[in-house]
Amino acid sequence: VLGRGLHEAGLALALAQGGGVAGRVLWAVVADRTGARPVLLALGCVIAGASLGFAVAGAHWAEWAVLALGVAMGASAVAWNGVLLGEV
């Protein structure tokens, strides 16, 4: 991942999954208070921002920035379906 080793790639993916777990709970609480539509809109914006960040990321980026993007992606792209399934 971006010129890093397997250990760093595994850490990034583990943090993304952890972000997904926390994000699913967080977004569910927010959706209960505000409704699903605004939360799904916010999730779409976070997913787009994190995707854009990964698109422009390079090997010169600091490791903390790549990990933060992974957590953001996990907390949004991995967690969104919990809110959607709660509405169906």
Side-chain angles (χ1 to χ4, degrees):
V1 175
L2 298 173
R4 291 173 168 84
L6 291 177
H7 180 267
E8 290 84 3
L11 176 63
L13 293 173
L15 288 174
Q17 288 297 316
V21 170
R24 206 172 263 204
V25 173
L26 171 80
W27 291 117
V29 169
V30 174
D32 283 345
R33 298 180 194 279
T34 64
R37 189 173 297 250
V39 171
L40 289 171
L41 180 63
L43 279 165
C45 292
V46 174
I47 292 168
S51 297
L52 181 62
F54 273 125
V56 300
H60 63 281
W61 275 40
E63 186 171 352
W64 68 265
V66 175
L67 294 177
L69 274 177
V71 171
M73 186 63 84
S76 56
V78 174
W80 73 271
N81 59 351
V83 175
L84 180 69
L85 292 175
E87 280 300 300
V88 176

